[in-house]
Amino acid sequence: MTITHVDLRRGAYHDSVTLLQVSRTVADVEGVEAAQVAMTTELNVEVLSGMGFEIPEAAGPNDLVVAIRAVDEDAVAAGLAAAAAALSAKAAPSGGFGDAPAPRTTSGAVRVGGAELALISVPGRYATTEALDAIGAGASVMLFSDNVPVEDEVRLKDAAAAVDVLIMGPDCGTAVVGGVALGFANVVEAGPMGLVAASGTGAQQIMCLLDAAGVGISHCLGVGGRDLKAAVGGRSTRQALAALAADPATSSIVVVSKPPDEAVLTDLEAYAAGLGLPVRWATLGAGRPDLTTALEAVLKAEGHDVPEWPKWLSDSDPEPGAGLGSLRGLFCGGTLADEAMLIAAESLGDIRSNIPLRDDLALGSGLTHDGHLVIDFGDDGLTQGRAHPMIDPTLRMERIAAEAQDPTCGALLLDLVLGFGAHQDPAGELADAIRAAKGAARDSGRELPVVVSLTGTKGDPQGFAATAQTLSGAGASVFLSNRDATRHALTFLGGAR
Amino acid sequence: MNQPLHGLLCVESPSVATAGVQLFADALRGQAVTVTEADWQPPMAGTETDLATVLADARRAEANATAYARLTAAGAELCDVKQAKDALGLERGTFLHAGPPIEWERMSGPLKGALIGAVLFEGLADNAERAEDDLAAGKFAFEPCHHRDAVGPMAGVVSPSMWMYGLRDEVHDAWSWCSLNEGLGKVLRYGAYGPEVIDRLHWMTDVLGPILQQSVRRTGPFDIKAILAQMLQMGDEGHNRNRAGSLMLLRELLPGMITADASSADIAEAVRFSGANEHFFLNLGMPACKLATMAAHGIPGSSLVTTMARNGTDFGIRVSGTSDQWFTGPANTPDGLFLGDYGPDDANPDIGDSAITETGGIGGFAMAAAPAIVKFVGGDVAFALRATQTMYEITHGEHPMFQVPILDFRGTPTGIDVVSVVRTGILPQINTGMAGRVAGTGQVGAGLVTPPAECFPAALAALATATP
C-alpha cells in the first residue's frame, strides 16, 4: 500500500535550486517512492499533478508544498523529517543575543558588506526591483534572473548608466570580474584579453578555447543576451567596452554575442574604433563565422598559434555519411544551440527549435518534430519556476531517453558545460544516460552516434580531461569546440561538408 | 582620471552581495570572495509592478532624503498650554478622535465610550444613554486629530474645553497639539466615562490646565526633543515606557507650577497628579513626533510613512508622497499581558494616535533602549534587541539624536519606507496599551501589535499611480 502526503506551507519561500536539493534528499529516504518539495508556481503544480499529487486549489506562488509518496506511514514521517532537516539547514543564521538579523534586501546586503557588485538571481518578476535597489546602493549588478521584460531591461540600464554602474544581464549566466567568477564560469588564467559577452555559454566557449590556446583573460563582462538587439541598443556593451578600454590589465577585447541587430552592431563597431585598443567581434549570425572560427582569427591577429582543439573520438560510431535520420541537438547553453543550428543549417536546411533561426521554424509546446531539431533547455520558456538545466538536468535527461527510442533520430548532439555554478559531477549522470541511449538504440537495431560539445578547462573543479574520458567511455565523441562537435555530428547525417 | 564603473575593474577581488540562489553565494565563498547574502523573500503578493515603478521613480531618492532630513531636523518645544477651542478653533459639538476617519456605526467600544464621556463632560447631554442616542443620531461632528495637526493617545477624543499642550517646531515653523494625560486605570482615553472620569476631566480643566499654562508661559519653552534623546538613554522607549521622560518633564515644569497663581492645595494636587503618572510625558512625546512627521509630509515622490494611527476599528497610514490620502485596513488586536483577570477576549483592536512615536523613530522602534519594557509587553531582552535591529530593514536612516546605548549608540531606525515594508514583508513594530472592548471598561493590558499588512501595498499602488 502506498501513502500520499501533501502539505502546504504558506509564505515559506526557498529558491528553486535549494528546493531541488531538498527534493532529492527526501526522495533518497528509504521507503519514499516520489517526493517533490517546491514552490507552488503554475509550472510546479503541473509537475506535481503529473506525479499524481493533488495540490489544494488555494495554493499560490509564494507557498511551499511538501509532497511525498511512500510505502508506509513511517516512510512518510522519515521523508517529512528529512525535508524539515534539509529546509532548516538552508535557513539563514539569525537570532542570538543582540545579533543583527541578516539583511533582507539587495541594497541591505550591499551596504552591510561594502560590496561593489551584486549578484541577483531572484525569480524574474522580482528582479527589476532588486536590481534597481542595487543600483540605488551604488553597486554594479550581475543579473542572473531571466524572464525580465525588455522595457525593464532598458529602464535598468539607463538608471545604471546615470550613476556609472554596469548591469550585466538580465539572463546573464557568466561573468568574471577581477578574477572572481560569477554565476557559471570556468577557471581560466589571468591574461590581457578582455571579453564582453551578450551570451553566457558563448562567453564560456570563448574563455575555454582561449585557455586551451594558452591565452588568459582580464575580465569577462556579461551584458545579457538581448543587449545587441535593437530594443536595448547595446547600452551595457558600450559601458563595458569603455570600462575595459580604461583598464590597464586589458590590452585587447573580444565581443561575443548571439545574433545581433545589424544597426546596433554597426554603431558599436564605430564606437569601438575610437577606444584606442583592438576590439574584435565573435557575433553569431547567418553568413558570419562561428565562435571557434572567429576566435581562431583573433588568435592569429594577436600573434598566437592556433592549437589543435582537444577531442576524443568514439570507436563505436557508425560509418560517416551512412545515416538517414535527423539531427537532434539537446542543449543547456543557448548560444551553443544557436551556433550548432547556424552551422548545421548550411548543410541540413531547416531546423526546428524553441529558439528558431526563423519564426516559422518554431517548435510547438510539445517540442516534438520528426525532422532536424535543436532544443535549448536553458531558454526562458523552459526555466520558469525551475532551475537552469546546468543545475537541474532532469528535462534533458528525459529527452535523451526519448530520442533513443525514436527511429527518426540520426545523431544526438549534446553540450556539457563545466565550471563554477554548474552541476558538481555532471559526467557520471550524463554518461549513464548516453550509455542507456546507445543501448536502447542498439536494441532496436540501430547504432546511435552521440556527440558532446564539452565546454571546460583543466582548472575547472569537475576536471575537463576526466569528464571527457568518462563521456568517451560511454561511447560519445567529445569536442572542446562546439563547431567541431557540430560538424562531427553532421558526418553521420550524410550532410557534412 | 576617474576609472569607469567606480573602479570596479581595478579592485583586487570585489566584495559581492547576493540575493537569490544560494548556490552562487557558495560558489563565491569557494573562491574566497567576501560574500554578503541577503535573506531575500518575495515581496507582498501582487506588488511586483508597483515596486518596479516606484523604485524607478527618479524623484524618489532625493524626495526620501529630503523627507528624512526634515523629519530628523524638526524641533519640538513645549511653548504653550491652551484649551482646544482656542488652540485648534474646535467648535462646540465637534469632537476629535484618534486614527483615520470613521463613522459612528463602525466605531469600537472604547471610542464610543470616550465620545459619550466627552459629550457628558461638555454638558451636551445629561446622561450616557442620551449622549449615545445623540451621537448615533448624528447631532455631533467627528474628525481625526491628525486633520488638525493634533494627536491623541488611545481613543484620542478631544473636546473644545479640554486643555492641550502646544509644541512648536521652530525649524519648519509649525505647531502641533496633544491633550493632557489623565493617568492610568479608568480614564476617558480607554473608553471609560463613569462619574470619576468626568470629575477628573473637570478638575483638569479647572485646575491643572491653568497651572500648567502659567508654568509653561512663565518658565518655558521646554525642549521636548532633548528630553526624548535623554530618556532613550535612561531606559524609556517613549511609547509604553515614559518614566524617565515624565520625571525630566516634571523637573522643568515644577518651578513654574509651584509659583503659579492658584491655591497651595490646588498646586499640591496638580504636582502630585503629574508626578504620580508615569505616562505624563507620552502626551509630549507624541506631538513632538507629530511635528517631525508633519515636516516630512507632502514631498512628491517620497515613499516615507508620515502617519500611523488607529481608531479601534481601522488602522490607517499616510505617506509623504500621496498627500492626505489614508490607506486603511482592519486594526489588529495587540498581543501581550493583561491587567487583573482580563484576558484576550476583553481586548479591543488596536487604537490611538500613539503609533506616531514609531512613525517618528521611537516606541517599538527603540525597544532595544528599553529592555525593562519587555516584561510589560510579554517578550524577552533578546527580542527587544532584535525588534529594533529588524526595523532598520524598513527605515530610511538612523536618527541623529535618538540613540540606543546597547547598540553602541546607534541611532534609532527612523523613517518607515513603504517600499521596504512591501519588499521585506516586515511590518512596523508597535508597543501599545490595550483598551477594553466594551465601552466604559478602560485599560485591560499592554502589548505588541503591527499594522494590517494591506495598508502598505495600497499606499505603494497610490505612489505608483502618482509616479510621472
Side-chain angles (χ1 to χ4, degrees):
Chain A
M1 191 187 89
T2 55
I3 311 249
T4 302
H5 171 98
V6 175
D7 74 79
L8 198 63
R9 303 175 188 185
R10 298 247 164 212
Y13 176 81
H14 296 270
D15 72 70
S16 55
V17 178
T18 295
L19 290 176
L20 175 76
Q21 291 162 345
V22 173
S23 297
R24 282 187 182 165
T25 304
V26 178
D28 285 345
V29 170
E30 204 174 317
V32 172
E33 294 175 342
Q36 186 82 357
V37 183
M39 304 306 294
T40 46
T41 57
E42 218 171 299
L43 187 112
N44 284 337
V45 170
E46 251 175 64
V47 170
L48 284 153
S49 308
M51 293 169 76
F53 291 111
E54 260 181 64
I55 307 304
E57 292 232 351
N62 291 349
D63 298 330
L64 178 74
V65 68
V66 179
I68 298 174
R69 185 162 52 242
V71 291
D72 56 26
E73 292 285 359
D74 288 348
V76 168
L80 285 172
L87 287 170
S88 66
K90 299 290 173 191
S94 69
F97 191 83
D99 284 356
R104 294 282 288 269
T105 58
T106 306
S107 64
V110 166
R111 274 189 283 271
V112 168
E116 295 92 0
L117 253 178
L119 197 174
I120 296 171
S121 54
V122 302
R125 63 185 186 281
Y126 311 120
T128 303
T129 292
E130 293 305 315
L132 283 166
D133 188 42
I135 295 166
S140 284
V141 175
M142 160 142 174
L143 190 52
F144 180 84
S145 313
D146 55 9
N147 289 300
V148 174
V150 72
E151 317 82 79
D152 281 7
E153 176 171 351
V154 169
R155 183 155 75 164
L156 282 173
K157 288 181 172 176
D158 286 344
V163 294
D164 193 25
V165 296
L166 181 68
I167 294 285
M168 297 190 270
D171 199 10
C172 174
T174 299
V176 179
V177 178
V180 172
L182 299 149
F184 303 127
N186 303 89
V187 178
V188 296
E189 299 290 325
M193 189 77 78
L195 302 185
V196 177
S199 143
T201 46
Q204 288 189 276
Q205 170 84 151
I206 292 284
M207 269 196 269
C208 293
L209 291 170
L210 280 168
D211 189 74
V215 179
I217 68 156
S218 57
H219 309 276
C220 171
L221 303 180
V223 293
R226 290 184 304 218
D227 198 68
L228 274 65
K229 302 289 183 195
V232 186
R235 281 169 160 83
S236 282
T237 301
R238 227 168 261 265
Q239 274 185 282
L241 284 171
L244 287 170
D247 172 40
T250 304
S251 62
S252 66
I253 299 173
V254 177
V255 182
V256 191
S257 172
K258 296 181 186 183
D261 177 81
E262 289 296 340
V264 172
L265 183 61
T266 307
D267 280 357
L268 285 172
E269 281 170 340
Y271 176 74
L275 289 174
L277 79 174
V279 178
R280 300 189 179 87
W281 306 82
T283 51
L284 287 175
R288 269 200 288 271
D290 57 73
L291 296 181
T292 305
T293 306
L295 187 78
E296 286 168 352
V298 170
L299 286 170
K300 283 177 196 149
E302 296 272 320
H304 298 289
D305 292 331
V306 176
E308 187 172 337
W309 304 117
K311 64 181 175 198
W312 287 257
L313 293 178
S314 164
D315 46 23
S316 69
D317 282 342
E319 284 301 304
L324 297 169
S326 301
L327 175 69
R328 299 294 152 82
L330 308 179
F331 282 81
C332 300
T335 303
L336 298 178
D338 240 339
E339 185 184 39
M341 280 195 287
L342 285 162
I343 294 170
E346 288 179 20
S347 50
L348 299 181
D350 287 354
I351 299 173
R352 261 58 181 194
S353 176
N354 61 330
I355 52 162
L357 296 175
R358 288 197 325 264
D359 289 346
D360 61 306
L361 297 176
L363 278 172
S365 58
L367 300 179
T368 50
H369 189 267
D370 56 12
H372 305 296
L373 64 84
V374 168
I375 299 172
D376 170 17
F377 285 90
D379 183 55
D380 279 12
L382 296 179
T383 58
Q384 282 191 36
R386 69 159 64 233
H388 193 277
M390 276 159 70
I391 300 168
D392 176 6
T394 315
L395 283 184
R396 187 169 77 150
M397 291 300 185
E398 288 168 3
R399 186 59 182 250
I400 291 171
E403 291 295 345
Q405 305 289 347
D406 182 349
T408 67
C409 170
L412 261 186
L413 176 59
L414 310 171
D415 66 346
L416 184 63
V417 181
L418 306 180
F420 289 116
H423 196 297
Q424 285 177 357
D425 179 25
E429 223 175 352
L430 188 59
D432 288 347
I434 290 169
R435 207 173 278 117
K438 288 182 83 84
R442 208 169 286 132
D443 290 346
S444 58
R446 63 201 176 100
E447 195 59 47
L448 176 63
V450 179
V451 184
V452 179
S453 158
L454 177 65
T455 298
T457 68
K458 55 189 179 301
D460 282 338
Q462 298 91 342
F464 180 73
T467 303
Q469 274 150 20
T470 303
L471 298 174
S472 171
S477 297
V478 182
F479 296 82
L480 171 65
S481 158
N482 187 55
R483 172 197 69 186
D484 294 352
T486 307
R487 286 180 180 171
H488 186 71
L490 294 176
T491 60
F492 302 110
L493 304 172
R497 286 190 186 172
Chain B
M1 182 190 120
N2 280 341
Q3 285 289 327
L5 310 181
H6 305 283
L8 176 67
L9 301 188
C10 300
V11 177
E12 189 67 35
S13 171
S15 163
V16 183
T18 64
V21 182
Q22 198 182 352
L23 187 82
F24 291 137
D26 294 342
L28 287 165
R29 284 199 192 91
Q31 301 174 63
V33 172
T34 307
V35 181
T36 312
E37 264 182 279
D39 182 15
W40 184 86
Q41 302 280 308
M44 291 179 180
T47 57
E48 301 94 89
T49 311
D50 290 339
L51 275 174
T53 304
V54 172
L55 272 161
D57 185 347
R59 304 170 305 167
R60 181 169 163 267
E62 173 119 29
N64 280 350
T66 304
Y68 176 77
R70 290 175 61 92
L71 196 156
T72 50
E77 289 190 314
L78 174 57
C79 288
D80 207 349
V81 183
K82 284 185 185 178
Q83 282 184 288
K85 57 189 174 199
D86 303 323
L88 306 172
L90 196 61
E91 312 79 8
R92 190 167 166 81
T94 298
F95 299 91
L96 303 185
H97 64 79
I102 186 168
E103 59 281 13
W104 173 262
E105 290 72 26
R106 294 184 63 246
M107 283 181 191
S108 63
L111 181 49
K112 283 184 171 172
L115 283 166
I116 291 167
V119 169
L120 293 173
F121 163 66
E122 291 289 343
L124 292 164
D126 295 336
N127 58 59
E129 293 70 36
R130 182 64 195 270
E132 186 166 358
D133 288 348
D134 287 352
L135 283 159
K139 289 200 174 164
F140 307 114
F142 319 120
E143 204 182 325
C145 294
H146 274 290
H147 290 188
R148 302 247 189 164
D149 296 345
V151 278
M154 302 308 287
V157 168
V158 175
S159 67
S161 306
M162 292 181 187
W163 288 79
M164 314 279 290
Y165 293 116
L167 273 68
R168 183 167 152 70
D169 168 15
E170 285 265 349
V171 182
H172 305 106
D173 187 22
W175 284 86
S176 144
W177 300 86
C178 184
S179 52
L180 312 183
N181 197 297
E182 317 157 68
L184 287 170
K186 292 219 182 285
V187 286
L188 188 78
R189 70 175 187 281
Y190 280 98
Y193 55 82
E196 77 271 34
V197 175
I198 307 302
D199 289 349
R200 189 188 306 112
L201 287 174
H202 281 300
W203 174 80
M204 288 170 71
T205 302
D206 299 339
V207 178
L208 181 64
I211 291 174
L212 288 173
Q213 183 185 56
Q214 290 181 60
S215 170
V216 172
R217 287 188 175 176
R218 273 192 214 154
T219 58
F222 305 122
D223 188 344
I224 300 302
K225 191 180 184 184
I227 293 179
L228 275 169
Q230 291 173 71
M231 66 195 268
L232 292 184
Q233 307 208 4
M234 297 166 75
D236 283 352
E237 42 72 278
H239 187 166
N240 240 351
R241 188 176 161 94
N242 290 285
R243 294 187 179 204
S246 295
L247 286 169
M248 281 188 282
L249 176 65
L250 193 59
R251 184 181 65 181
E252 302 280 12
L253 288 170
L254 269 178
M257 287 176 81
I258 59 178
T259 53
D261 181 15
S263 76
S264 56
D266 282 348
I267 288 173
E269 179 54 17
V271 170
R272 188 206 62 76
F273 178 84
S274 302
N277 178 2
E278 65 196 34
H279 284 298
F280 186 46
F281 182 82
L282 176 63
N283 298 47
L284 284 303
M286 283 174 56
C289 291
K290 175 64 180 166
L291 283 172
T293 55
M294 276 165 64
H297 191 69
I299 297 165
S302 171
S303 53
L304 298 193
V305 175
T306 49
T307 309
M308 292 197 292
R310 319 83 101 194
N311 57 33
T313 304
D314 304 319
F315 191 116
I317 66 170
R318 293 190 297 182
V319 175
S320 179
T322 53
S323 80
D324 289 333
Q325 195 178 348
W326 288 92
F327 307 97
T328 62
N332 294 324
T333 301
D335 183 17
L337 298 181
F338 292 88
L339 305 173
D341 51 8
Y342 290 121
D345 294 343
D346 300 313
N348 193 74
D350 198 16
I351 186 167
D353 287 334
S354 55
I356 196 70
T357 55
E358 281 82 10
T359 321
I362 57 170
F365 284 45
M367 205 160 5
I373 193 79
V374 297
K375 291 280 182 199
F376 192 44
V377 294
D380 57 22
V381 174
F383 171 82
L385 291 167
R386 206 161 50 241
T388 292
Q389 294 185 94
T390 302
M391 291 305 106
Y392 290 112
E393 294 294 319
I394 57 167
T395 46
H396 181 87
E398 303 178 8
H399 202 289
M401 262 184 86
F402 303 158
Q403 296 169 349
V404 184
I406 201 169
L407 297 181
D408 215 2
F409 295 93
R410 196 173 176 189
T412 61
T414 303
I416 301 164
D417 189 339
V418 166
V419 168
S420 304
V421 173
V422 170
R423 285 179 65 197
T424 63
I426 297 172
L427 295 168
Q429 177 67 63
I430 297 166
N431 290 354
T432 193
M434 274 187 264
R437 184 179 283 281
V438 178
T441 308
Q443 183 172 15
V444 298
L448 304 170
V449 74
T450 55
E454 59 256 50
C455 300
F456 296 91
L460 182 77
L463 280 166
T465 307
T467 300

